[in-house]
Amino acid sequence: MIETGDIGVFLGLDVGRGEHHATAVTPAGTKAFDKRLPNSEPKLRELFAKLKAKHGTVLVVVDQPASIGALPLAVARDEGCKVAYLPGLTMRRIADLYPGEAKTDARDAFVIADAARALPHTLRAIEPADEAVAEPEMIVGFDDDLAAACAERFTEHEDAEIVTGFPGLGDLTGARILAEIGDDRSRFADGRALKAYAGSAPITRASGKSLIVHHRKVKNQRLAALGYVWSFAAPTGSREARGHYDRRRTIGDRHTAALRNLFNRLLGRLHHRLVTRQHYNENTAFPTPLPVSA
């Protein structure tokens, strides 16, 4: 459990791409700050410095440690603040304990801050080792020079060669894929669990003699979006990936469905390779030409 005995103020951030909502509460539960905050390094540093000067040690807590949540975490570390994150599902359950049903950024930021104050056992630490993925990943899309830095940091990660060995994955897309999957290989029981998390695995429902297949709507939207980019690029550099896509189209899949099926196959193989520490192999990734494989 994260130790909070020395914390002078708990800062909860409901993060967004352009701006965050920031709410700070004291150990007594009094609000010390409650405003929207631009997602810019100078504004973040200014707020962290003011809170430190007035309250002492600051604990910055977000609900997304990678992507849009990584910039405030990186700046907070550099300013000497403690950092942690509150998993989204945990935050939603805790939010049910608070009055009011409307979901607003301000309410979410307060729930994050107050949970850090009153329920520190629900927080998760963000280890410095995670920064090889989490810290640079937020840079992608903001600035070309920083994106280059992201790619350089990613190449230092122990899984970088395995990830970029797959067709369609370069340093930037590989960094973002790895940031969403994480470093903990026990996080997903098997490849099927990861594919369900990404939304690439279909849902099959049987009713009497009818069998209906749906694609998943509840999923990690960022990973699903990356999957579309990955599967779109993979056939260009892989004859087997191209063959898999073409076979899905031949049996009647629309373009997006065929790409989703290809992503499903590639993601399952990526999970296996990361767990077993093996590099991508074209022959084992697509062992049979059966068009109905998922």
Side-chain angles (χ1 to χ4, degrees):
M1 185 176 75
I2 294 177
E3 177 58 48
T4 60
D6 63 337
I7 302 300
V9 70
F10 302 83
L11 179 63
L13 294 179
D14 183 60
V15 297
R17 185 167 295 279
E19 62 179 5
H20 318 299
H21 195 99
T23 300
V25 297
T26 66
T30 304
K31 284 187 180 180
F33 186 88
D34 187 21
K35 293 182 181 179
R36 300 202 67 79
L37 179 67
N39 187 30
S40 71
E41 182 177 338
K43 292 296 185 181
L44 289 165
R45 288 190 184 279
E46 180 182 354
L47 175 60
F48 298 154
K50 285 183 177 179
L51 291 175
K52 281 183 63 180
K54 185 173 183 179
H55 300 281
T57 305
V58 180
L59 174 61
V60 179
V61 185
V62 300
D63 58 346
Q64 294 184 46
S67 188
I68 55 178
L71 177 60
L73 290 177
V75 176
R77 278 191 190 280
D78 195 53
E79 286 291 319
C81 302
K82 292 188 175 182
V83 297
Y85 85 99
L86 181 67
L89 180 58
T90 303
M91 195 270 281
R92 295 265 70 82
R93 290 173 175 169
I94 294 174
D96 290 339
L97 304 176
Y98 288 76
E101 296 182 358
K103 181 189 182 303
T104 66
D105 294 343
R107 182 174 186 268
D108 286 351
F110 172 72
V111 169
I112 294 170
D114 203 49
R117 178 188 70 87
L119 303 168
H121 62 280
T122 62
L123 301 178
R124 292 188 183 177
I126 302 173
E127 301 299 333
D130 296 337
E131 292 180 354
V133 175
E135 182 180 326
E137 194 275 342
M138 51 78 182
I139 297 170
V140 180
F142 285 95
D143 184 274
D144 289 341
D145 293 336
L146 292 180
C150 165
E152 183 177 351
R153 285 293 302 276
F154 170 66
T155 60
E156 300 172 5
H157 196 277
E158 63 177 359
D159 292 330
E161 287 190 9
I162 295 177
V163 173
T164 55
F166 277 72
L169 288 182
D171 289 341
L172 293 180
T173 50
R176 300 190 69 170
I177 287 283
L178 191 56
E180 295 301 334
I181 294 175
D183 290 327
D184 184 2
R185 297 294 160 244
S186 65
R187 180 183 181 189
F188 302 100
D190 51 30
R192 289 179 298 179
L194 174 57
K195 290 188 284 187
Y197 174 73
S200 62
I203 299 175
T204 303
R205 289 192 172 93
S207 178
K209 295 183 179 180
S210 299
L211 191 65
I212 303 175
V213 179
H214 300 279
H215 70 270
R216 295 176 185 268
K217 295 184 179 180
V218 179
K219 57 193 171 185
N220 180 314
Q221 298 290 347
R222 296 184 302 275
L223 185 53
L226 287 167
Y228 182 88
V229 174
W230 180 11
S231 58
F232 185 83
T236 303
S238 167
R239 179 172 55 86
E240 296 298 334
R242 164 58 65 180
H244 185 89
Y245 170 83
D246 289 342
R247 287 192 294 273
R248 299 302 306 188
R249 293 286 282 158
T250 298
I251 66 170
D253 280 0
R254 293 181 180 274
H255 172 66
T256 53
L259 289 181
R260 186 165 53 246
N261 190 279
L262 176 58
F263 173 44
N264 192 52
R265 171 61 66 88
L266 290 170
L267 188 61
R269 301 315 301 170
L270 176 61
H271 177 269
H272 175 73
R273 295 298 176 177
L274 289 172
V275 169
T276 60
R277 309 299 304 159
Q278 300 180 56
H279 287 77
Y280 173 79
N281 182 292
E282 191 93 318
N283 296 325
T284 57
F286 299 92
T288 70
L290 295 178
V292 294
S293 59

